[in-house]
Amino acid sequence: MLRFLCLLILTTAFANRATFDNYQVHRVVPENQEQLNILKDLEDDPNGLSFWVGPSRIQKAVDIMIPPHMLPRFNDILASINLKSEVYIGNVQHLIDTERPKVRPTVDFGWTDYYTLDEIYAWLDFLNETYPGVVTPIVGGESYEGRQIHGVKVSHRAGNPSVVLEGGIHAREWISPATVTYILNKLLTSQDPVMQDLVQSFDYYVFPVVNPDGYVYTHTTDRMWRKTRSQGGNRCFGADANRNFDFHWLEIGASSSPCSDTYAGSAPFSEIETRVLSEYLTSIADQFDAYLTFHSYSQLLLFPYGHNNDNVSNYDELLALGQAAVSALANNNGTQYAVGNIYSTIYPTSGVSMDWVRGVFNTPYTYSWELRDKGNHGFLLPADQIIDTAEETLVSLIVILRHAKEKLGRN
Ligand SMILES: *[C@@H]1O[C@H](CO)[C@@H](O)[C@H](O)[C@H]1NC(C)=O
Ligand SMILES: *[C@@H]1O[C@H](CO)[C@@H](O)[C@H](O)[C@H]1NC(C)=O
Ligand SMILES: *[C@@H]1O[C@H](CO)[C@@H](O)[C@H](O)[C@H]1NC(C)=O
Ligand SMILES: [Zn+2]
């Protein structure tokens, strides 16, 4: 524990960090195909713009971050296609400066701040030491830059069905690892009988940060980085790990342009992170019945598929269960979520981890949360919302796992 605390105190002064002074985030809603096409062309070759929510279909809002020097040109482009924008965030750097507490509370791993990869991994080691026989370290493989995809397995008894929790596949979505680690802590410490029953009834494979290189890069260099950090000889680094899985790869809602934030990679599983994680998941696939992934932002609870609007075999069950889950979530703190399949609820996508799991292993309970908020902070959700966000998410997760337990009819 001491070693762990020391690591926490060693929080950092980083040089060469990108700044975002007077960068704005605009929301635009394309109303015709021409406007949509222009936005899609910009996303493929963003040249300094950053799409926080990419263009997908007519009437679906798009959030774009614009550096101040590009604002005149951006406004010209919008004017030329008769599209109006609304300023959602007036100064991104201001949100970055106020995202985290001014003084890091050093007393504990307490979810009052966002933690670095080293801090999260030290905490996982601390759990291993603190809960022997219950917590086992697991390694989903190594990243492009040689970091472990480190996780833990929580198991109270042999022969349980399992649940996989996947966080941090998109680097800048810091609320995802924060929520996953919070839930992991509750699995180990909650005195609530409902939680304790779920902890006894399932094993949990928990990976808080499956894109560790990207996550580190958001801490050291560019807060708004999304992709992996591979160098394929392209002008731009990395691929979108959550477009890189080998399931309907690059069919829709993913880009073949290396500079796009939704670049699907040069081939299915071209990214070592998705390749090794998929191999690990394959090795435990006969054990898990639920695969739950965490993203931000938009307040959505999604289930397969993204590549088309066909209903999965238990569509009605997943929809009703999802609705029950978000209704419990809303009762907790008033936060409103929408529920549905990826394709119709957020946007068409392909090559995402959840769909690969569902498509290849037919895992019955697969959901993705798009956590808080709805764009006022976007990826820069203030750290003082971590606990409320994680708490309400846990409430929805409990609804899903209680149902899964009943339906699986084991234990
Ligand atoms: C996990 O804990 C055990 C002791 O219970 C120790 O032998 C092992 O080295 C630990 N593993 C890691 C990765 O810290
Ligand atoms: C999916 O199922 C719902 C509810 O059963 C139904 O209303 C809808 O038409 C189905 N969609 C497709 C594409 O089959
Ligand atoms: C959420 O609940 C907490 C108390 O648990 C409260 O302090 C906070 O204001 C609530 N937030 C919202 C947005 O309702
Ligand atoms: Zn994401």
Side-chain angles (χ1 to χ4, degrees), residues 117 120-121 148-150 167-169 177 207-213 215:
L117 187 77
I120 292 171
Y121 282 9
Q148 285 189 348
I149 300 173
H150 192 9
I169 198 168
F207 289 106
V209 191
V210 303
N211 174 11
D213 297 350
Y215 189 68

Side-chain angles (χ1 to χ4, degrees), residues 309 311 315-316:
N309 203 23
N311 287 344
Y315 175 91
D316 291 349

